[in-house]
Amino acid sequence: MNGDWLLRGRDGRLSVYQLSGDTVRCRAERGPGGPWSAPRKVGGEQRLHPVLAVGQGADSYAHLVSWRPTVKGESGLVHSTHFRPHLAALDWNPVGHPDKKGDRTGTPAVAVDAQGRAHVFVRNKGGGVSMLAQKEKGGWDPWRDLKGEEVQDAMAAVTGESGRVELYAAVPQGLLYWRQEEPGAEPVLQEALQAPVRPGTLRALATSPDRTTVFYTDTSGDLCAWRPGGKPHTLLPAAGSGPVSAVRCDLDGHDCTLLVQRSASRRVAFAAYPTELESAGAWWTESGPELPLDALVSLTKDAEDRVVAATLSPSTGRLLLTQRKDEPGLALEAWREV
């Protein structure tokens, strides 16, 4: 899974996307804050590889990207749009391969610009990055080679408050950063950071009108934050392996960034700090029961703008939720299974 799989739809309902064998399934609230539906298959009968990238635009539509087997030894990317959590998603639409044909080249990433156009990023056979972007009135532009070398798997795509799309990728020497200069333009490689980055730990968030922040774990096990144009900041030791999920929220009148990660003790760990003020420090607080080894964690905000956290075990389908209480600080309600 690449991206946030816990989303708030345009109608305020929460939904989750999960891999289940060779399919993707969705569960959604029947109404904002209400009971949840049973999981249902997304995108028709197409058989998929066990990989999924999720992105969401300002219109709250969810864009899903996966790989499907085609002929023996080869695969192609497919895309689906989910307009409302309680409606059926569009059928999977084949969108091609960054090298025209071949097997899977890596985990895709997807971001959606201010015009609602999905931008799909994936590593190509040369070790660089290729991008496929939707046209505003339907269809797709041709594949574009964004260059780069030795790009590691699980890139982080993000849409800034400007509505322009940005991309972060880990390489053996550190991080690469691409940004659109204008809406609809091809993202340009802007900067390279020399840093000891663990692949598979990137997650990006829009943190101000002009900047995004990428979170990653370094090779010493520390969770770091970097904004292009500056130096990376060490926040605190990572609670566990894998990427964090992040959301901005109001905590006692302050714009804060809330992070969540599955801890080494297999619980959910939360940390918060004033947005873009990493020097203020942060610390982990663990919550909830011990989780299965494959459990994922994600954050969003509900129809009333309250923080909601979820854990999901792909092997069991068990989904647990909690939300912030209506009181000062970051007090959470008891975790519940849905």
Side-chain angles (χ1 to χ4, degrees):
M1 296 278 280
N2 192 359
D4 290 315
W5 45 265
L6 170 67
L7 302 178
R8 181 181 68 189
R10 191 167 186 168
D11 54 9
R13 306 175 199 223
L14 299 178
S15 61
V16 300
Y17 295 91
Q18 64 187 82
L19 291 162
S20 179
D22 57 4
T23 65
V24 172
R25 296 184 181 272
C26 176
R27 296 186 69 178
E29 291 180 319
R30 297 184 186 278
W36 285 65
S37 64
R40 62 183 180 184
K41 191 184 299 184
V42 170
E45 299 302 316
Q46 174 66 60
R47 187 166 61 91
L48 305 172
H49 288 297
V51 61
L52 179 66
V54 183
Q56 188 178 37
D59 54 14
S60 296
Y61 299 160
H63 290 259
L64 315 176
V65 178
S66 185
W67 285 100
R68 63 160 184 158
T70 52
V71 299
K72 186 176 181 180
E74 296 188 5
S75 302
L77 287 164
V78 289
H79 168 268
S80 175
T81 307
H82 207 171
F83 298 107
R84 299 283 195 281
H86 67 291
L87 298 177
L90 297 181
D91 284 352
W92 291 108
N93 174 43
V95 293
H97 191 286
D99 305 307
K100 295 187 179 179
K101 66 178 183 177
D103 206 348
R104 289 168 286 171
T105 56
T107 304
V110 59
V112 186
D113 69 10
Q115 289 72 39
R117 298 173 293 204
H119 291 62
V120 179
F121 301 91
V122 70
R123 192 173 54 188
N124 55 47
K125 67 179 181 182
V129 177
S130 292
M131 184 195 78
L132 185 70
Q134 279 183 314
K135 297 178 181 178
E136 193 167 354
K137 295 184 179 180
W140 296 82
D141 288 324
W143 281 96
R144 301 176 184 178
D145 185 355
L146 303 187
K147 309 303 181 184
E149 295 180 352
E150 299 183 282
V151 168
Q152 307 291 320
D153 206 13
M155 298 174 285
V158 62
T159 304
E161 291 186 16
S162 65
R164 295 193 292 271
V165 169
E166 305 179 17
L167 178 74
Y168 295 88
V171 293
Q173 301 78 26
L175 289 171
L176 300 179
Y177 167 68
W178 289 260
R179 184 185 66 205
Q180 285 180 321
E181 295 294 346
E182 299 292 340
E186 179 176 314
V188 177
L189 183 59
Q190 301 275 340
E191 195 169 344
L193 172 72
Q194 296 285 325
V197 178
R198 285 186 183 172
T201 65
L202 275 57
R203 184 58 53 87
L205 180 71
T207 50
S208 66
D210 300 317
R211 293 186 297 271
T212 62
T213 300
V214 65
F215 301 95
Y216 65 90
T217 302
D218 68 16
T219 54
S220 68
D222 286 331
L223 181 64
C224 303
W226 178 58
R227 282 178 292 282
K231 296 181 179 180
H233 302 270
T234 299
L235 271 169
L236 73 172
S241 60
V244 297
S245 183
V247 70
R248 285 172 63 189
C249 60
D250 183 285
L251 292 179
D252 304 331
H254 300 283
D255 175 6
C256 290
T257 295
L258 178 63
L259 307 172
V260 66
Q261 190 173 37
R262 192 189 68 186
S263 72
S265 60
R266 290 165 53 184
R267 300 178 70 204
V268 180
F270 293 87
Y273 69 96
T275 297
E276 294 195 350
L277 194 61
E278 287 82 8
S279 60
W283 57 92
W284 295 112
T285 300
E286 294 194 357
S287 175
E290 186 175 305
L291 301 170
L293 285 171
D294 66 343
L296 308 170
V297 296
S298 193
L299 286 172
T300 192
K301 291 189 285 187
D302 67 10
E304 298 179 10
D305 232 25
R306 293 176 300 183
V307 169
V308 178
T311 77
L312 175 66
S313 168
S315 62
T316 65
R318 190 182 186 205
L319 175 65
L320 302 176
L321 289 175
T322 186
Q323 62 190 34
R324 186 184 173 198
K325 293 180 179 178
D326 188 17
E327 58 184 63
L330 189 59
L332 299 172
E333 295 182 354
W335 288 85
R336 67 186 190 279
E337 185 169 357
V338 299

